[in-house]
Amino acid sequence: MSDTEEDNQDDSAIPSRDECESRCQKFAEVTGTDTALAMFYLQDVEWNIDTALNKFYESNCGPEKKDCKRKMADDGENSECHKKKSRVEESDPEPHRIRLLSWNIDGLDDVSIKRRTKAVCDIINKEHPHVVFLQEVTALTQVITGGNEEYYPCILLKVDQVELIHHQTLPFPDTRMMRNLLLVQCKIKGESLVLMTSHLESTKDHSKERVQQLQKAFRVMQKSSKSSTVIFGGDLNLRDKEVASIGGPPPGVHDIWEKTGQRPEAAYTWDMSRNDNLVFPGKFKPKLRFDRLYIRGAEPPTIEPVYLELVGLERVAKCGKYPSDHWGLLTHYNILSKVKSLASKVK
């Protein structure tokens, strides 16, 4: 059986989208983790929640696992392990940092989808971002719905480190591809943020709609409370000339790749000269900065972007594909008050 046949056979046994989401939420509640980790464990055992929970506790309870009695009563009572974990706050090796990952995970391509999605989850768990923007999420990649029935963006927030205040989905009236703007208001390490992601209209022929969508996102950024830092991004499908056609970002809004030094090795997120997940005929292999992130600071400034890097650059074992045809963008931000506090302690 080929890798593709194996993946398709596995995917056919996946429960309905609503049921998958329910099991992810239940796993996250019981273990005190998040839905990305839940999906990783559940997919590995064909979405059997009892088996997934047993594997989680076997891996994480250590020598005390025999005394770690899990409860799953209908009233939603948390497990003893979860209660114990909640009493022991995990140390933060970087109290002055916030990390945000944005990635089009190519859920519309069903080739090796299970293995590729697992690789995405592995990278998320390895990098420990506080926030994850995902685009092209589908029923096969199954995380959290954030749009239309076929594919959609979503935002993941790290449990116990991000306080969700409000969320909403803003429509793009002229979209022909069911695109929208997903917005979350939250606090991370005490700092107020407005987080926005989207998958703007695709292809060269839909440049007009894409630019209009970008302008709407910029307007939302500008109108957001000045006491919050606003970060917007995702697979924006942008060409440099399109951004230039509207005079660049509005005052106070900055391109994070430019803000962090414009490193050429971190520029192109859709690069057919390096990523061969898609077959592109001919010698010319396009490379474009489709995925972008923008920031509008609070007044006075509270958070500063300091580094941007690409993730997903290694092939997935067994299937030979990259996790996606896009590289992911991992961004790092300093909390200015905490950096100042750390500096004063060093002195």
Side-chain angles (χ1 to χ4, degrees), residues 70-88:
R70 176 174 53 83
K71 293 183 179 180
M72 288 189 62
D74 291 338
D75 62 357
E77 183 177 5
N78 287 332
S79 69
E80 293 300 320
C81 281
H82 184 196
K83 291 178 181 178
K84 183 173 182 179
K85 181 178 179 180
S86 67
R87 292 194 295 265
V88 182

Side-chain angles (χ1 to χ4, degrees), residues 284-295:
F284 174 69
K285 305 297 181 184
K287 50 184 181 180
L288 294 159
R289 198 159 67 90
F290 279 161
D291 304 80
R292 305 187 185 204
L293 287 161
Y294 292 93
I295 186 169

